[in-house]
Amino acid sequence: MVPALLSPPDAEKTPGYWNKGARRRLELALALQPAAQRAKNIILFMGDGMGLSTVSAARIYKGQLAGGSGEESVLAMETFPHVALAKTYTLDRQVPDSAGTGTAYLCGVKANAKTLGLSGAAVYGKCHTTFGNEVDSVLHRARLAGKSVGIVTTTRVQHASPGAAYAHSASRGWYADTNMPKEALRDGCKDIAWQLVHNTDINVILGGGRMYMTPRWTPDPEYPEDADQNGTRKDGRDLIAEWLNAKQVGCEGRGIVPTGTGCVPLALALLSLAGYPSIVEMTEKAIRILRRNPNGFFLFVEDEIDHGHHSGRAKQALMEAVMLDRAVARAGELTSPADTLTVVTADHSHVFTFGGSTPRGNSIFGLAPKKAKDKRAYTSILYGNGPGYSIRDGTRPAASLPDKDYRQQAAVPLETETHSGEDVVVLAQGPMAHLFHGVQEQHYIAHAMAYAACLEPYATEPGCRASRRASHGTQCSPQPLLALLALCMAALIVRD
């Protein structure tokens, strides 16, 4: 339990303490040199909804979980030497959604909200505007370049953020054919789950969304008694079986075991016995598989901080942010900044803040030290809008010390808390990490990653030939990779 008040250590009260720390940081800054070689591997960590205020609060929460006051704590992502800000607006919105932003940072173009993998010429919900306006993601281009590619997410793999890595859809909501209007099906558009299997040869897929992959009323192998988890497809296709058959993955002699109606890698099946694997476990599993390719890999990792914020539950959001940071730390242990560019960013922020002149060491979820003008207590964390709004007997109820399900108070009543339009941070380390600097448009992220790894349209840039020769080594083809599909989570709540 973190005390409400902590006196700063005596050392912090002396100028020498701060002067020494500043000198150490100056020396590190002066020694910093751009890593100008090309990246063999790229890992993109995306905290969905992880705005700057969320990063700051997660830092404090991490420190308080460790028994400290929290403010002096350092997240693993904050040790990265290169930092930029990204502007998150979409072509049609000042405050964006996760589909338009995903298209920006993965495909390299600003687009319209609610559209995936399409240029701004596409119109939301209009199937016929899809054709000819498709744009390819960095993940897709990495696969074409011979790298292994993977997706890890704590939400559905057909959701907006991972969907931008492989899909071209005029609507982020076209998860399965069941979710599509008749005219879209008639005009030849494909649902996002179908595109997951057929658009890009993805080596590792870890996340939820199994119901969109199997025929209607097919019982879920983990939850056969729960009708809400049944398959939803009207076309009768079993996309999981199609994916496995395309890769010639069987259940014998390949390190995988049957579970339910499909096959899952043994390691993942074991992780699932005690519940769903954490983002740390999934990230580790993905890296261990993908790094077998001598040509390198591209891995996209998403954590749904977003859902906690949308429900007004700050503790849920910050717990997810801390878990994402643990995944960043674990990835750093499994890779080297000598050949792996690691980027951490967010798609958008939220109307989430903390304040109230709280003292050092105050619980990040605690109360402000003074009552408000209405003579009632309030928590340091507040939302600008959302379900936490409450008026009883004509006045605001006093806040109480929250548990993980507590909804922090909001100023404006909404069923769901909204995104905000502020810039998000981009942190980077490894080859070409110095390209991430200043204030950039969000689509620049995709271009910087593609340039760093010699992917199209930068495959012929200076230094790329030598990089390709080093990656390929001998002319022997790489050993076949273990293809992995684990749609291992039950259906999750879908929000922006």
Side-chain angles (χ1 to χ4, degrees), residues 15-26:
Y17 173 86
W18 301 105
N19 293 339
K20 183 178 179 180
R23 174 175 287 277
R24 184 169 63 251
R25 289 186 168 273
L26 278 172

Side-chain angles (χ1 to χ4, degrees), residues 22 27 58 63 75 88 112 121-122 160 211 226 250 267 276 284 287 320 441 457:
E27 291 170 349
L75 296 169
T88 62
N112 292 317
M211 65 172 60
D226 186 353
Y276 302 128
E284 176 172 351
I287 291 173
E320 290 295 335
E441 296 284 2

Side-chain angles (χ1 to χ4, degrees), residues 85-105:
L85 292 176
K87 297 187 282 184
T88 62
Y89 68 93
T90 58
L91 290 185
D92 57 342
R93 288 192 182 182
Q94 187 177 77
V95 176
D97 83 319
S98 295
T101 53
T103 301
Y105 63 74

